[in-house]
Amino acid sequence: MRPEWRTRVTSISPLHERQERRQRLAEHAAELAGTALANIVREYPNDLRHVMSGADDRPWPRDVHPSFYGSFDWHSCVEMHWLLVRLLRTVPERLPEERIRATLDRHLAAAPLAVEAAYLSDPERAIYQRPYGWGWALWLVHETATWD
């Protein structure tokens, strides 16, 4: 059942405005997807926020974040993955769909996500990327979980 507040929020915008926004999104979808695809595989420059526990604890971004190593920082990379999933859901006909799916299949596979989860579960990283990065991670989870 649809929550009452969701009906109120979505009804604020008249149908023609929603259709205009969708049309604008469709017009720019390929460009947005291209930017996101380029960024999520660009490892450097990188603002790796990593609390080091010793002299040898100097990892490479891709080692600690095999899913979300690009886009300069972790939360931006998570956001770019969300963008790609959202575009696939809304305007797949305007995208390089095969390329996006192949990239998402690699980045969001079980093994790299297990490394991400282990990193975030480490008690020494209890505040890593909170709340902003975790917010984008939740949006990504929501986007994939609610996709029909």
Side-chain angles (χ1 to χ4, degrees):
M1 177 153 191
R2 189 176 190 157
E4 186 179 320
W5 61 264
R6 189 168 166 207
T7 303
R8 285 193 307 268
V9 170
T10 56
S11 67
I12 291 171
S13 178
L15 179 60
H16 73 278
E17 287 180 14
R18 290 193 301 262
Q19 290 170 335
E20 284 177 22
R21 283 195 306 271
R22 189 179 188 314
Q23 179 59 36
R24 277 183 288 183
L25 177 63
E27 289 170 6
H28 298 284
E31 179 183 0
L32 291 167
T35 299
L37 283 166
N39 280 317
I40 65 173
V41 298
R42 183 178 298 122
E43 191 166 6
Y44 298 101
N46 195 301
D47 182 18
L48 182 64
R49 302 293 170 109
H50 175 79
V51 176
M52 294 182 280
S53 58
D56 294 331
D57 187 12
R58 294 177 290 181
W60 298 102
R62 196 180 301 237
D63 293 339
V64 291
H65 299 299
S67 291
F68 308 117
Y69 59 86
S71 299
F72 186 71
D73 53 32
W74 188 85
H75 66 266
S76 296
C77 196
V78 174
E79 179 184 357
M80 292 294 105
H81 282 79
W82 168 85
L83 173 64
L84 290 169
V85 173
R86 182 69 178 167
L87 289 170
L88 279 176
R89 283 185 71 178
T90 56
V91 288
E93 69 282 356
R94 299 290 189 110
L95 303 171
E97 189 173 355
E98 251 182 64
R99 182 175 169 216
I100 293 171
R101 287 182 183 277
T103 303
L104 292 174
D105 285 348
R106 280 192 314 276
H107 285 229
L108 303 180
L113 287 176
V115 174
E116 297 281 352
Y119 188 86
L120 295 173
S121 298
D122 184 331
E124 289 185 15
R125 292 164 181 64
I127 61 167
Y128 180 76
Q129 292 288 334
R130 285 190 186 174
Y132 189 74
W134 285 36
W136 276 114
L138 289 171
W139 272 113
L140 177 59
V141 168
H142 172 78
E143 199 68 40
T144 58
T146 58
W147 195 348
D148 295 334

